[in-house]
Every structure is written in structure tokens, then in C-alpha cells.
């Protein structure tokens, strides 16, 4: 009898171990690790503006994203009048490490988004440009990216932004800057450097944006052989082509003379002292200002932004507010904005070659 009791106890013990192991395995397998959520797994914002419509590997927003209950009539109006196509330079090795965080944060405020890589990835999605990877390929990727945009998406935007996968852009502030111009003006904007080109050129890392006419001329420059791949230094080579094609290097400073495009993270511009031997002093087209006056209250971009900072900047831009204050710097909307044509965005749902990609409201 004692032997039977012992065997029964052992059997129950082992059955308990097996059951506990299975339960633990199931529980752990269904837990999510902490960290920024994957855009593909994000929860919807609760309305149709949570949807990306994907066509030919391009991502389209149906409506201007903003927080529920927030008064955003001016920015909504500019969203339809100043249509921005954002293309992000990335690579296969950076899709998970960098590009997915761009997709989940600032790029949601663009009208159209394309991720440009050396190879196509229909799941992300990325457009394959048929180049190799590496710094010596940056200008080839840029040339082919703009040629692709011109061929497939020229009529879907008024302005065309190039950014890296570690650049953060406040797209709504960019629209304010651009609302003072028309897309048929041959001009482009960015962080302006001065050497090696008479009118200067725009820093690649801080991002730069071409008007519709500037993009037309850039592509025409390569068709006519006026421009060619003369250097792997992407931003300089593009700037030299712009100069040859009569595209003006625009002044992107705000009405108080403060810069809006920035080639480093906010911390560098706000708190660090640049050594006088640092190359930056010789490159900047406009006088360098260190400290809080370095940057416009309507700053547009920062570079070398890691994923954690990407989400932080998105929060600081669209969520953090000081109670009881009206912004001290509140320039009026340029008069030109009233004359811009509105293009209410809407992508037909019935089109069979489209899919819908849900993204989450991170904050």
C-alpha cells in the first residue's frame, strides 16, 4: 500500500512538472519584449488616418494625422496645399534597426513615403534601386531615387524630400517654410554649406527638399548630360548639378534668422561647444550660433538620431505642452499660402492593386 502511494505521488509530481513546463513555455512565448513596438504590430489610431495605403511600394496617407480633439485646421489645410513626398535612403541591414522607426514616427506626416534601398522588399516595403550598398554608392542611390520618383510619383506631390534613416523631420514645420513658395519655382532647401559651389549646397544628413520644378530640372540634367556622376559625395554633387541647372539654393532660416535644418542631434547644437578646428565652422553658409538660439522654434530636421531619440522627438513635438502659454514665436502664415491650390488627399479603396497597412499611434 505504501509503495502504491509513493508511486502515485511520484506520478503526480512528474505530471505537475510537465504541466508547469508547458504553461511556462506558452506564457513566455506570448510575452512581448519591452522596447519600441514594430510598426506592423501597432494598434490603430481609432480612425481612418491610421492607415497606410500601399501602391507600387509607395505608402500613402489618407488624411493628415493629428491627436483627437486638437485644433489643427491650419496644418490640415497646409497638408492639402503643400504636398510632400518623403523618400528615405536606407538599406537591407537598416530596415529593422532604423527605417521601421522612421516609418512609425515622423514619416507619418508626409503625404507620400518611399523607402529607397539597393534591393526591393515588398513586405516593408522598399524600392530596389539596383545599386550596391556603401558610402560610395550614396549619389548613385540619390540619382536613381529621384529618377524613380519623377517617373512614378511626379504628379502626386509638390515637393520632394530626401532624408536618411537616422534623420528626424518635423514635416508640419517644413510645410510652413514651403508655403511661402510655389512648386514651379526652381529652388531647393536644406542645411546650407558653402565650399565647392558658388551658391553653396545642402547637407545630405540634415535632409533637403526639391520643388517640383527643381526635380524636373535635376532629372533633365542627367538626360541632357549636363549633370553626371562626378563624385560619390552625394550632397555636394547634387548641389553642383542644381547650380548648373539654374536651381536656386534657398534660405531656410526663420524670420529671426535662426536655422531650421540641423546636421547633428539637438544636444550637439544646444549644449556643446564646437572646437574652432572643427570642419563645421568652415562649411556653414550662415554664421554659427551655439546654445539655445542655435535653432528655430520651428526647427525642421536633426541628424544622427537613434531610434530612442526618434520617439522622444516625436513626443516632444506633438505631445509635450506647457500649460497656460501661447507660443512666443508664432509667425503668421505666408500670404502666398492663400493662393496655393488644395489637393485633398484620398486614395480609392476599390483599387485592386492596393493593400492597407495598419500603423500604431506610438504615443
Amino acid at each position: 500500500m505504501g509503495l502504491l502511494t509513493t508511486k502515485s505521488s511520484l506520478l503526480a509530481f512528474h505530471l505537475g512538472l510537465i504541466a508547469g513546463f508547458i504553461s511556462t513555455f506558452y506564457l513566455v512565448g506570448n510575452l512581448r519584449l519591452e522596447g519600441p513596438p514594430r510598426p506592423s504590430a501597432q494598434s490603430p489610431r481609432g480612425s481612418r488616418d491610421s492607415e497606410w495605403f500601399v501602391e507600387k511600394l509607395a505608402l500613402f496617407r489618407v488624411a493628415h494625422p493629428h491627436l483627437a480633439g486638437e485644433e489643427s485646421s491650419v496644418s490640415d489645410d497646409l497638408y492639402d496645399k503643400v504636398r510632400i513626398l518623403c523618400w528615405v535612403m536606407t538599406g537591407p541591414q537598416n530596415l529593422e534597426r532604423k527605417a521601421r522607426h522612421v516609418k512609425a514616427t515622423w514619416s507619418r506626416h508626409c503625404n507620400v513615403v518611399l523607402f529607397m534601398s539597393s534591393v526591393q522588399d515588398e513586405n516593408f516595403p522598399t524600392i530596389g534601386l539596383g545599386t550596391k550598398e556603401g558610402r560610395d554608392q550614396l549619389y548613385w542611390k540619390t540619382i536613381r531615387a529621384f529618377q524613380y520618383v519623377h517617373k512614378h510619383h511626379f504628379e502626386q506631390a509638390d515637393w520632394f524630400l530626401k532624408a536618411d534613416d537616422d534623420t528626424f523631420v518635423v514635416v508640419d514645420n517644413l510645410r510652413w517654410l514651403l508655403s511661402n513658395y510655389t512648386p514651379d519655382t526652381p529652388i531647393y532647401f536644406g542645411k546650407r554649406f558653402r565650399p565647392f559651389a558658388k551658391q553653396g549646397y545642402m547637407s545630405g544628413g540634415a535632409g533637403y527638399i526639391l520643388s517640383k520644378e527643381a526635380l524636373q530640372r535635376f532629372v533633365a540634367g542627367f538626360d541632357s548630360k549636363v549633370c553626371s556622376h562626378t563624385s560619390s559625395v552625394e550632397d555636394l554633387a547634387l548641389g553642383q548639378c542644381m547650380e548648373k541647372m539654374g536651381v536656386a539654393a534657398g534660405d531656410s532660416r526663420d524670420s529671426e534668422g535662426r536655422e531650421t535644418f540641423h546636421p547633428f542631434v539637438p544636444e550637439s547644437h544646444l549644449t556643446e561647444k564646437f572646437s574652432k578646428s572643427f570642419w563645421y565652422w568652415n562649411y556653414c553658409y550662415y554664421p554659427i550660433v551655439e546654445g539655445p538660439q542655435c535653432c528655430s522654434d520651428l526647427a525642421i530636421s536633426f541628424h544622427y538620431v537613434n531610434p530612442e531619440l526618434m520617439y522622444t522627438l516625436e513626443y516632444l513635438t506633438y505631445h509635450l505642452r506647457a500649460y497656460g502659454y501661447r507660443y512666443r514665436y508664432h509667425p503668421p502664415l505666408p500670404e502666398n499660402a492663400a493662393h496655393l491650390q488644395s489637393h485633398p488627399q484620398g486614395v480609392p479603396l476599390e483599387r485592386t492593386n492596393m493593400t492597407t497597412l495598419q500603423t500604431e499611434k506610438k504615443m
Side-chain angles (χ1 to χ4, degrees):
M1 188 65 143
L3 183 60
L4 288 174
T5 302
T6 301
K7 287 183 177 180
S8 297
S9 298
L10 288 172
L11 179 61
F13 174 74
H14 285 97
L15 286 174
L17 281 177
I18 294 171
F21 175 79
I22 293 174
S23 299
T24 302
F25 179 81
Y26 177 80
L27 177 62
V28 172
N30 284 276
L31 285 176
R32 293 181 182 270
L33 294 177
E34 292 291 332
R38 297 168 59 92
S40 59
Q42 294 176 348
S43 59
R45 293 172 62 89
S47 62
R48 283 182 52 151
D49 72 4
S50 65
E51 298 172 345
W52 285 111
F53 287 93
V54 184
E55 181 184 18
K56 296 180 181 178
L57 305 179
L59 286 77
F60 294 81
R61 296 291 304 189
V62 174
H64 183 213
H66 53 77
L67 297 176
E70 190 166 62
E71 207 294 308
S72 59
S73 58
V74 175
S75 61
D76 288 342
D77 187 47
L78 288 180
Y79 182 85
D80 291 334
K81 288 184 173 181
V82 185
R83 297 175 301 165
I84 297 177
L85 180 148
C86 305
W87 72 261
V88 180
M89 186 181 294
T90 189
Q93 75 283 2
N94 280 348
L95 297 186
E96 285 300 304
R97 294 193 302 117
K98 295 182 178 181
R100 72 181 179 95
H101 304 293
V102 171
K103 185 196 288 188
T105 55
W106 68 262
S107 71
R108 298 183 304 109
H109 303 274
C110 305
N111 298 78
V112 187
V113 183
L114 297 90
F115 289 87
M116 299 291 190
S117 179
S118 55
V119 295
Q120 181 173 308
D121 184 327
E122 294 187 0
N123 294 321
F124 188 81
T126 65
I127 293 162
L129 298 172
T131 64
K132 297 178 182 179
E133 290 294 336
R135 291 195 62 81
D136 62 334
Q137 296 294 306
L138 292 181
Y139 195 36
W140 277 124
K141 291 176 78 171
T142 300
I143 295 168
R144 293 182 181 178
F146 275 126
Q147 289 172 335
Y148 180 94
V149 167
H150 181 267
K151 181 178 180 180
H152 296 283
H153 301 285
F154 188 66
E155 297 302 332
Q156 294 167 338
D158 308 302
W159 298 84
F160 304 86
L161 172 73
K162 174 266 173 185
D164 290 345
D165 53 16
D166 61 350
T167 305
F168 184 88
V169 181
V170 185
V171 182
D172 291 293
N173 289 350
L174 178 56
R175 285 196 181 93
W176 170 76
L177 168 71
L178 300 176
S179 67
N180 201 31
Y181 302 86
T182 57
D184 58 1
T185 303
I187 195 168
Y188 80 125
F189 296 95
K191 167 61 182 180
R192 196 171 179 184
F193 285 161
R194 69 185 180 198
F196 314 118
K198 291 181 181 178
Q199 67 173 6
Y201 65 96
M202 306 303 170
S203 160
Y208 46 79
I209 189 161
L210 281 61
S211 69
K212 187 184 283 280
E213 178 62 23
L215 174 59
Q216 183 88 306
R217 295 192 185 195
F218 179 74
V219 172
F222 283 89
D223 291 341
S224 63
K225 310 296 184 186
V226 172
C227 298
S228 61
H229 187 282
T230 56
S231 168
S232 61
V233 183
E234 160 240 336
D235 47 9
L236 172 60
L238 182 137
Q240 291 172 335
C241 178
M242 294 283 101
E243 192 167 277
K244 291 177 182 177
M245 298 305 296
V247 177
D251 185 348
S252 61
R253 294 176 297 171
D254 69 16
S255 58
E256 295 187 4
R258 296 172 299 181
E259 301 239 27
T260 57
F261 287 81
H262 306 284
F264 308 116
V265 293
E267 177 185 353
S268 294
H269 294 283
L270 290 167
T271 66
E272 293 181 7
K273 284 284 186 180
F274 298 120
S275 168
K276 293 302 180 182
S277 61
F278 189 38
W279 61 266
Y280 191 54
W281 291 97
N282 295 321
Y283 272 68
C284 287
Y285 194 89
Y286 304 111
I288 295 175
V289 178
E290 297 175 305
Q293 292 302 312
C294 67
C295 313
S296 171
D297 289 11
L298 295 178
I300 290 170
S301 74
F302 295 96
H303 188 215
Y304 298 122
V305 177
N306 63 35
E308 292 78 13
L309 183 55
M310 197 78 68
Y311 291 100
T312 302
L313 289 175
E314 180 81 357
Y315 169 76
L316 294 175
T317 301
Y318 290 103
H319 292 261
L320 183 62
R321 302 287 186 269
Y323 183 78
Y325 287 87
R326 184 177 184 271
Y327 295 142
R328 61 174 182 170
Y329 183 65
H330 193 77
L333 194 63
E335 291 183 7
N336 183 68
H339 306 295
L340 296 175
Q341 182 180 355
S342 182
H343 303 270
Q345 187 158 339
V347 183
L349 291 173
E350 66 272 17
R351 296 180 63 165
T352 57
N353 62 340
M354 294 178 125
T355 58
T356 300
L357 178 66
Q358 295 287 341
T359 61
E360 95 168 351
K361 179 176 69 175
K362 167 65 185 172
M363 306 297 180

